Amino acid sequence: MTKQIWLNLPVKEVAKSKAFFSKIGFSFNEEHDTPSSTCMVVGEGKFVVMLFEESLFASFSQNKLTDTQSSSEVLISIDAESIAEVDELARKIKEAGGNVFAPPAESQGWMYGCGFADLDGHRWNVLFMDFSKLS
């Protein structure tokens, strides 16, 4: 049976993407770094997101890459521990050169979050969920 799952994302420049994600608080397992890829580790569960330069990614997927400026193939969601953490992450994203396309706000009375695009246009969703307010 499957033991692990990870996400692979195409990026224009691995070094710039690594710098961006480092600035917003993500970490990396540098044992797996190559000149055209890096291994990002997300959260306590250590979910792996591999960042591959576009040409290498395209060779794996054997498919045309999505134009992230005009379409989305996936929305990557991550949790936050508090409203303050969502606000802080949104600030860091802006400072690091990302695009906060949905500013931090309450949703449905029990969630607080924001949406952002990384340097390559991949869309991310950050949510703090207060299940005590869920009706």
Side-chain angles (χ1 to χ4, degrees):
M1 186 66 197
T2 301
K3 296 177 192 169
Q4 193 175 19
I5 185 171
W6 62 91
L7 179 66
N8 298 313
L9 288 177
V11 299
K12 289 180 182 20
E13 294 181 49
V14 168
K16 284 185 178 181
S17 292
K18 187 174 180 180
F20 170 78
F21 285 109
S22 292
K23 287 177 186 173
I24 67 170
F26 290 15
S27 61
F28 292 83
N29 180 347
E30 295 182 349
E31 291 177 16
H32 299 291
D33 277 9
T34 73
S36 55
S37 67
T38 190
C39 177
M40 185 165 66
V41 181
V42 181
E44 292 174 7
K46 300 186 189 236
F47 186 83
V48 171
V49 178
M50 292 296 300
L51 305 177
F52 291 100
E53 290 202 354
E54 289 178 340
S55 60
L56 183 56
F57 182 92
S59 73
F60 297 153
S61 69
Q62 299 183 10
N63 207 355
K64 182 179 156 190
L65 298 181
T66 298
D67 176 1
T68 58
Q69 299 305 309
S70 63
S71 65
S72 296
E73 185 174 36
V74 65
L75 176 64
I76 306 159
S77 296
I78 57 177
D79 70 338
E81 293 184 20
S82 66
I83 290 171
E85 186 177 10
V86 172
D87 291 341
E88 178 68 8
L89 190 55
R91 183 188 62 75
K92 287 180 179 180
I93 290 161
K94 288 178 188 175
E95 288 175 0
N99 173 29
V100 177
F101 63 83
E106 186 178 296
S107 175
Q108 300 177 29
W110 64 280
M111 294 185 290
Y112 184 87
C114 71
F116 74 93
D118 62 28
L119 300 181
D120 293 282
H122 303 295
R123 296 211 166 210
W124 297 73
N125 184 37
V126 182
L127 284 175
F128 166 67
M129 297 174 278
D130 186 348
F131 292 104
S132 70
K133 293 182 178 179
L134 184 61
S135 320

PDB file of all heavy atoms in Angstrom, residues 22-51:
ATOM      1  N   SER A  22      11.416  30.210   1.676  1.00  0.00           N
ATOM      2  CA  SER A  22      12.193  30.350   2.916  1.00  0.00           C
ATOM      3  C   SER A  22      11.766  31.609   3.666  1.00  0.00           C
ATOM      4  O   SER A  22      11.597  31.594   4.887  1.00  0.00           O
ATOM      5  CB  SER A  22      13.693  30.398   2.621  1.00  0.00           C
ATOM      6  OG  SER A  22      14.149  29.166   2.136  1.00  0.00           O
ATOM      7  N   LYS A  23      11.586  32.706   2.924  1.00  0.00           N
ATOM      8  CA  LYS A  23      11.193  33.981   3.535  1.00  0.00           C
ATOM      9  C   LYS A  23       9.828  33.906   4.209  1.00  0.00           C
ATOM     10  O   LYS A  23       9.576  34.629   5.166  1.00  0.00           O
ATOM     11  CB  LYS A  23      11.190  35.097   2.495  1.00  0.00           C
ATOM     12  CG  LYS A  23      12.566  35.534   2.074  1.00  0.00           C
ATOM     13  CD  LYS A  23      12.502  36.587   0.990  1.00  0.00           C
ATOM     14  CE  LYS A  23      13.880  36.918   0.473  1.00  0.00           C
ATOM     15  NZ  LYS A  23      13.836  37.815  -0.690  1.00  0.00           N
ATOM     16  N   ILE A  24       8.946  33.031   3.715  1.00  0.00           N
ATOM     17  CA  ILE A  24       7.617  32.958   4.336  1.00  0.00           C
ATOM     18  C   ILE A  24       7.530  31.835   5.373  1.00  0.00           C
ATOM     19  O   ILE A  24       6.468  31.576   5.915  1.00  0.00           O
ATOM     20  CB  ILE A  24       6.482  32.872   3.290  1.00  0.00           C
ATOM     21  CG1 ILE A  24       6.495  31.567   2.498  1.00  0.00           C
ATOM     22  CG2 ILE A  24       6.535  34.072   2.353  1.00  0.00           C
ATOM     23  CD1 ILE A  24       5.249  31.358   1.650  1.00  0.00           C
ATOM     24  N   GLY A  25       8.668  31.176   5.629  1.00  0.00           N
ATOM     25  CA  GLY A  25       8.714  30.253   6.759  1.00  0.00           C
ATOM     26  C   GLY A  25       8.749  28.773   6.442  1.00  0.00           C
ATOM     27  O   GLY A  25       8.672  27.950   7.355  1.00  0.00           O
ATOM     28  N   PHE A  26       8.850  28.390   5.181  1.00  0.00           N
ATOM     29  CA  PHE A  26       8.926  26.967   4.849  1.00  0.00           C
ATOM     30  C   PHE A  26      10.371  26.507   4.957  1.00  0.00           C
ATOM     31  O   PHE A  26      11.296  27.289   4.839  1.00  0.00           O
ATOM     32  CB  PHE A  26       8.390  26.714   3.447  1.00  0.00           C
ATOM     33  CG  PHE A  26       6.894  26.889   3.309  1.00  0.00           C
ATOM     34  CD1 PHE A  26       6.123  27.527   4.274  1.00  0.00           C
ATOM     35  CD2 PHE A  26       6.248  26.423   2.188  1.00  0.00           C
ATOM     36  CE1 PHE A  26       4.759  27.673   4.129  1.00  0.00           C
ATOM     37  CE2 PHE A  26       4.869  26.575   2.025  1.00  0.00           C
ATOM     38  CZ  PHE A  26       4.135  27.201   3.003  1.00  0.00           C
ATOM     39  N   SER A  27      10.565  25.201   5.149  1.00  0.00           N
ATOM     40  CA  SER A  27      11.918  24.660   5.268  1.00  0.00           C
ATOM     41  C   SER A  27      12.202  23.703   4.113  1.00  0.00           C
ATOM     42  O   SER A  27      11.304  23.333   3.359  1.00  0.00           O
ATOM     43  CB  SER A  27      12.099  23.965   6.617  1.00  0.00           C
ATOM     44  OG  SER A  27      11.200  22.884   6.743  1.00  0.00           O
ATOM     45  N   PHE A  28      13.460  23.293   4.020  1.00  0.00           N
ATOM     46  CA  PHE A  28      13.907  22.454   2.916  1.00  0.00           C
ATOM     47  C   PHE A  28      14.777  21.320   3.420  1.00  0.00           C
ATOM     48  O   PHE A  28      15.527  21.477   4.381  1.00  0.00           O
ATOM     49  CB  PHE A  28      14.686  23.305   1.891  1.00  0.00           C
ATOM     50  CG  PHE A  28      13.807  24.277   1.184  1.00  0.00           C
ATOM     51  CD1 PHE A  28      13.491  25.505   1.762  1.00  0.00           C
ATOM     52  CD2 PHE A  28      13.255  23.962  -0.031  1.00  0.00           C
ATOM     53  CE1 PHE A  28      12.651  26.395   1.137  1.00  0.00           C
ATOM     54  CE2 PHE A  28      12.404  24.850  -0.674  1.00  0.00           C
ATOM     55  CZ  PHE A  28      12.106  26.069  -0.090  1.00  0.00           C
ATOM     56  N   ASN A  29      14.654  20.180   2.757  1.00  0.00           N
ATOM     57  CA  ASN A  29      15.540  19.050   2.994  1.00  0.00           C
ATOM     58  C   ASN A  29      16.606  19.128   1.904  1.00  0.00           C
ATOM     59  O   ASN A  29      16.397  18.644   0.794  1.00  0.00           O
ATOM     60  CB  ASN A  29      14.775  17.729   2.931  1.00  0.00           C
ATOM     61  CG  ASN A  29      15.657  16.530   3.166  1.00  0.00           C
ATOM     62  OD1 ASN A  29      16.880  16.632   3.150  1.00  0.00           O
ATOM     63  ND2 ASN A  29      15.048  15.386   3.372  1.00  0.00           N
ATOM     64  N   GLU A  30      17.714  19.749   2.227  1.00  0.00           N
ATOM     65  CA  GLU A  30      18.729  20.031   1.223  1.00  0.00           C
ATOM     66  C   GLU A  30      19.496  18.801   0.761  1.00  0.00           C
ATOM     67  O   GLU A  30      20.233  18.869  -0.216  1.00  0.00           O
ATOM     68  CB  GLU A  30      19.641  21.137   1.723  1.00  0.00           C
ATOM     69  CG  GLU A  30      18.867  22.440   1.880  1.00  0.00           C
ATOM     70  CD  GLU A  30      19.692  23.621   2.339  1.00  0.00           C
ATOM     71  OE1 GLU A  30      20.848  23.421   2.754  1.00  0.00           O
ATOM     72  OE2 GLU A  30      19.164  24.755   2.267  1.00  0.00           O
ATOM     73  N   GLU A  31      19.291  17.665   1.421  1.00  0.00           N
ATOM     74  CA  GLU A  31      19.913  16.425   0.958  1.00  0.00           C
ATOM     75  C   GLU A  31      19.430  16.063  -0.435  1.00  0.00           C
ATOM     76  O   GLU A  31      20.117  15.364  -1.173  1.00  0.00           O
ATOM     77  CB  GLU A  31      19.572  15.261   1.897  1.00  0.00           C
ATOM     78  CG  GLU A  31      20.197  15.332   3.254  1.00  0.00           C
ATOM     79  CD  GLU A  31      19.741  14.173   4.144  1.00  0.00           C
ATOM     80  OE1 GLU A  31      19.189  13.171   3.634  1.00  0.00           O
ATOM     81  OE2 GLU A  31      19.938  14.285   5.362  1.00  0.00           O
ATOM     82  N   HIS A  32      18.226  16.522  -0.785  1.00  0.00           N
ATOM     83  CA  HIS A  32      17.623  16.169  -2.069  1.00  0.00           C
ATOM     84  C   HIS A  32      17.741  17.273  -3.113  1.00  0.00           C
ATOM     85  O   HIS A  32      17.156  17.182  -4.185  1.00  0.00           O
ATOM     86  CB  HIS A  32      16.149  15.794  -1.879  1.00  0.00           C
ATOM     87  CG  HIS A  32      15.950  14.613  -0.991  1.00  0.00           C
ATOM     88  ND1 HIS A  32      16.323  13.337  -1.348  1.00  0.00           N
ATOM     89  CD2 HIS A  32      15.442  14.521   0.269  1.00  0.00           C
ATOM     90  CE1 HIS A  32      16.042  12.502  -0.356  1.00  0.00           C
ATOM     91  NE2 HIS A  32      15.512  13.198   0.631  1.00  0.00           N
ATOM     92  N   ASP A  33      18.503  18.335  -2.809  1.00  0.00           N
ATOM     93  CA  ASP A  33      18.676  19.427  -3.760  1.00  0.00           C
ATOM     94  C   ASP A  33      19.537  19.004  -4.944  1.00  0.00           C
ATOM     95  O   ASP A  33      20.506  18.259  -4.786  1.00  0.00           O
ATOM     96  CB  ASP A  33      19.340  20.631  -3.089  1.00  0.00           C
ATOM     97  CG  ASP A  33      18.374  21.508  -2.341  1.00  0.00           C
ATOM     98  OD1 ASP A  33      17.198  21.119  -2.182  1.00  0.00           O
ATOM     99  OD2 ASP A  33      18.791  22.588  -1.884  1.00  0.00           O
ATOM    100  N   THR A  34      19.142  19.482  -6.116  1.00  0.00           N
ATOM    101  CA  THR A  34      19.961  19.379  -7.318  1.00  0.00           C
ATOM    102  C   THR A  34      19.964  20.779  -7.936  1.00  0.00           C
ATOM    103  O   THR A  34      19.216  21.649  -7.476  1.00  0.00           O
ATOM    104  CB  THR A  34      19.386  18.360  -8.331  1.00  0.00           C
ATOM    105  OG1 THR A  34      18.224  18.921  -8.947  1.00  0.00           O
ATOM    106  CG2 THR A  34      19.068  17.023  -7.685  1.00  0.00           C
ATOM    107  N   PRO A  35      20.752  21.018  -8.970  1.00  0.00           N
ATOM    108  CA  PRO A  35      20.701  22.346  -9.601  1.00  0.00           C
ATOM    109  C   PRO A  35      19.321  22.703 -10.162  1.00  0.00           C
ATOM    110  O   PRO A  35      18.994  23.875 -10.292  1.00  0.00           O
ATOM    111  CB  PRO A  35      21.734  22.234 -10.723  1.00  0.00           C
ATOM    112  CG  PRO A  35      22.686  21.189 -10.258  1.00  0.00           C
ATOM    113  CD  PRO A  35      21.829  20.191  -9.502  1.00  0.00           C
ATOM    114  N   SER A  36      18.486  21.700 -10.460  1.00  0.00           N
ATOM    115  CA  SER A  36      17.181  21.994 -11.053  1.00  0.00           C
ATOM    116  C   SER A  36      15.994  21.534 -10.214  1.00  0.00           C
ATOM    117  O   SER A  36      14.864  21.472 -10.706  1.00  0.00           O
ATOM    118  CB  SER A  36      17.105  21.379 -12.453  1.00  0.00           C
ATOM    119  OG  SER A  36      17.388  20.007 -12.392  1.00  0.00           O
ATOM    120  N   SER A  37      16.239  21.212  -8.929  1.00  0.00           N
ATOM    121  CA  SER A  37      15.126  20.821  -8.057  1.00  0.00           C
ATOM    122  C   SER A  37      15.489  21.037  -6.597  1.00  0.00           C
ATOM    123  O   SER A  37      16.657  21.115  -6.235  1.00  0.00           O
ATOM    124  CB  SER A  37      14.748  19.352  -8.278  1.00  0.00           C
ATOM    125  OG  SER A  37      15.783  18.498  -7.854  1.00  0.00           O
ATOM    126  N   THR A  38      14.440  21.129  -5.776  1.00  0.00           N
ATOM    127  CA  THR A  38      14.634  21.224  -4.332  1.00  0.00           C
ATOM    128  C   THR A  38      13.447  20.577  -3.630  1.00  0.00           C
ATOM    129  O   THR A  38      12.365  20.465  -4.202  1.00  0.00           O
ATOM    130  CB  THR A  38      14.824  22.686  -3.874  1.00  0.00           C
ATOM    131  OG1 THR A  38      15.244  22.710  -2.509  1.00  0.00           O
ATOM    132  CG2 THR A  38      13.561  23.514  -4.031  1.00  0.00           C
ATOM    133  N   CYS A  39      13.672  20.165  -2.405  1.00  0.00           N
ATOM    134  CA  CYS A  39      12.672  19.445  -1.622  1.00  0.00           C
ATOM    135  C   CYS A  39      12.190  20.336  -0.480  1.00  0.00           C
ATOM    136  O   CYS A  39      12.896  20.522   0.509  1.00  0.00           O
ATOM    137  CB  CYS A  39      13.294  18.151  -1.085  1.00  0.00           C
ATOM    138  SG  CYS A  39      12.214  17.183  -0.029  1.00  0.00           S
ATOM    139  N   MET A  40      10.988  20.877  -0.613  1.00  0.00           N
ATOM    140  CA  MET A  40      10.401  21.732   0.420  1.00  0.00           C
ATOM    141  C   MET A  40       9.596  20.857   1.368  1.00  0.00           C
ATOM    142  O   MET A  40       8.901  19.939   0.940  1.00  0.00           O
ATOM    143  CB  MET A  40       9.515  22.784  -0.236  1.00  0.00           C
ATOM    144  CG  MET A  40       8.948  23.808   0.718  1.00  0.00           C
ATOM    145  SD  MET A  40       8.275  25.258  -0.137  1.00  0.00           S
ATOM    146  CE  MET A  40       6.878  24.558  -1.015  1.00  0.00           C
ATOM    147  N   VAL A  41       9.687  21.162   2.661  1.00  0.00           N
ATOM    148  CA  VAL A  41       8.986  20.393   3.682  1.00  0.00           C
ATOM    149  C   VAL A  41       7.971  21.321   4.347  1.00  0.00           C
ATOM    150  O   VAL A  41       8.326  22.385   4.837  1.00  0.00           O
ATOM    151  CB  VAL A  41       9.970  19.828   4.720  1.00  0.00           C
ATOM    152  CG1 VAL A  41       9.256  19.005   5.763  1.00  0.00           C
ATOM    153  CG2 VAL A  41      11.060  19.003   4.027  1.00  0.00           C
ATOM    154  N   VAL A  42       6.693  20.900   4.358  1.00  0.00           N
ATOM    155  CA  VAL A  42       5.616  21.758   4.846  1.00  0.00           C
ATOM    156  C   VAL A  42       4.960  21.130   6.069  1.00  0.00           C
ATOM    157  O   VAL A  42       4.505  19.984   6.031  1.00  0.00           O
ATOM    158  CB  VAL A  42       4.554  21.971   3.740  1.00  0.00           C
ATOM    159  CG1 VAL A  42       3.439  22.872   4.234  1.00  0.00           C
ATOM    160  CG2 VAL A  42       5.199  22.536   2.479  1.00  0.00           C
ATOM    161  N   GLY A  43       4.901  21.895   7.151  1.00  0.00           N
ATOM    162  CA  GLY A  43       4.132  21.520   8.327  1.00  0.00           C
ATOM    163  C   GLY A  43       4.725  20.428   9.194  1.00  0.00           C
ATOM    164  O   GLY A  43       5.774  19.851   8.898  1.00  0.00           O
ATOM    165  N   GLU A  44       4.009  20.176  10.293  1.00  0.00           N
ATOM    166  CA  GLU A  44       4.435  19.164  11.264  1.00  0.00           C
ATOM    167  C   GLU A  44       4.441  17.763  10.672  1.00  0.00           C
ATOM    168  O   GLU A  44       5.226  16.916  11.065  1.00  0.00           O
ATOM    169  CB  GLU A  44       3.513  19.199  12.484  1.00  0.00           C
ATOM    170  CG  GLU A  44       3.643  20.457  13.298  1.00  0.00           C
ATOM    171  CD  GLU A  44       2.616  20.538  14.422  1.00  0.00           C
ATOM    172  OE1 GLU A  44       1.885  19.549  14.664  1.00  0.00           O
ATOM    173  OE2 GLU A  44       2.554  21.599  15.061  1.00  0.00           O
ATOM    174  N   GLY A  45       3.555  17.513   9.706  1.00  0.00           N
ATOM    175  CA  GLY A  45       3.503  16.214   9.052  1.00  0.00           C
ATOM    176  C   GLY A  45       4.600  16.031   8.019  1.00  0.00           C
ATOM    177  O   GLY A  45       4.725  14.976   7.415  1.00  0.00           O
ATOM    178  N   LYS A  46       5.391  17.081   7.827  1.00  0.00           N
ATOM    179  CA  LYS A  46       6.517  17.063   6.890  1.00  0.00           C
ATOM    180  C   LYS A  46       6.099  16.651   5.488  1.00  0.00           C
ATOM    181  O   LYS A  46       6.728  15.822   4.841  1.00  0.00           O
ATOM    182  CB  LYS A  46       7.652  16.199   7.423  1.00  0.00           C
ATOM    183  CG  LYS A  46       8.170  16.714   8.747  1.00  0.00           C
ATOM    184  CD  LYS A  46       9.380  15.959   9.222  1.00  0.00           C
ATOM    185  CE  LYS A  46       9.676  16.404  10.625  1.00  0.00           C
ATOM    186  NZ  LYS A  46      10.854  16.896  10.969  1.00  0.00           N
ATOM    187  N   PHE A  47       5.005  17.261   5.023  1.00  0.00           N
ATOM    188  CA  PHE A  47       4.533  17.024   3.660  1.00  0.00           C
ATOM    189  C   PHE A  47       5.568  17.573   2.690  1.00  0.00           C
ATOM    190  O   PHE A  47       6.027  18.705   2.824  1.00  0.00           O
ATOM    191  CB  PHE A  47       3.181  17.711   3.449  1.00  0.00           C
ATOM    192  CG  PHE A  47       2.556  17.408   2.126  1.00  0.00           C
ATOM    193  CD1 PHE A  47       1.825  16.248   1.952  1.00  0.00           C
ATOM    194  CD2 PHE A  47       2.705  18.271   1.054  1.00  0.00           C
ATOM    195  CE1 PHE A  47       1.242  15.951   0.727  1.00  0.00           C
ATOM    196  CE2 PHE A  47       2.130  17.981  -0.176  1.00  0.00           C
ATOM    197  CZ  PHE A  47       1.395  16.819  -0.338  1.00  0.00           C
ATOM    198  N   VAL A  48       5.937  16.792   1.703  1.00  0.00           N
ATOM    199  CA  VAL A  48       6.980  17.162   0.753  1.00  0.00           C
ATOM    200  C   VAL A  48       6.369  17.799  -0.496  1.00  0.00           C
ATOM    201  O   VAL A  48       5.441  17.257  -1.088  1.00  0.00           O
ATOM    202  CB  VAL A  48       7.826  15.933   0.359  1.00  0.00           C
ATOM    203  CG1 VAL A  48       8.780  16.254  -0.783  1.00  0.00           C
ATOM    204  CG2 VAL A  48       8.596  15.418   1.565  1.00  0.00           C
ATOM    205  N   VAL A  49       6.919  18.953  -0.855  1.00  0.00           N
ATOM    206  CA  VAL A  49       6.602  19.602  -2.119  1.00  0.00           C
ATOM    207  C   VAL A  49       7.915  19.726  -2.876  1.00  0.00           C
ATOM    208  O   VAL A  49       8.820  20.441  -2.442  1.00  0.00           O
ATOM    209  CB  VAL A  49       5.965  20.989  -1.918  1.00  0.00           C
ATOM    210  CG1 VAL A  49       5.683  21.654  -3.267  1.00  0.00           C
ATOM    211  CG2 VAL A  49       4.696  20.902  -1.091  1.00  0.00           C
ATOM    212  N   MET A  50       8.016  18.994  -3.964  1.00  0.00           N
ATOM    213  CA  MET A  50       9.211  19.062  -4.798  1.00  0.00           C
ATOM    214  C   MET A  50       9.033  20.189  -5.803  1.00  0.00           C
ATOM    215  O   MET A  50       8.001  20.278  -6.479  1.00  0.00           O
ATOM    216  CB  MET A  50       9.443  17.747  -5.535  1.00  0.00           C
ATOM    217  CG  MET A  50       9.812  16.584  -4.642  1.00  0.00           C
ATOM    218  SD  MET A  50      11.388  16.770  -3.770  1.00  0.00           S
ATOM    219  CE  MET A  50      12.547  16.917  -5.134  1.00  0.00           C
ATOM    220  N   LEU A  51      10.026  21.055  -5.882  1.00  0.00           N
ATOM    221  CA  LEU A  51      10.018  22.149  -6.852  1.00  0.00           C
ATOM    222  C   LEU A  51      11.016  21.797  -7.950  1.00  0.00           C
ATOM    223  O   LEU A  51      12.203  21.604  -7.675  1.00  0.00           O
ATOM    224  CB  LEU A  51      10.408  23.468  -6.178  1.00  0.00           C
ATOM    225  CG  LEU A  51       9.571  23.885  -4.960  1.00  0.00           C
ATOM    226  CD1 LEU A  51      10.118  25.166  -4.350  1.00  0.00           C
ATOM    227  CD2 LEU A  51       8.108  24.029  -5.322  1.00  0.00           C
TER     228      LEU A  51
END
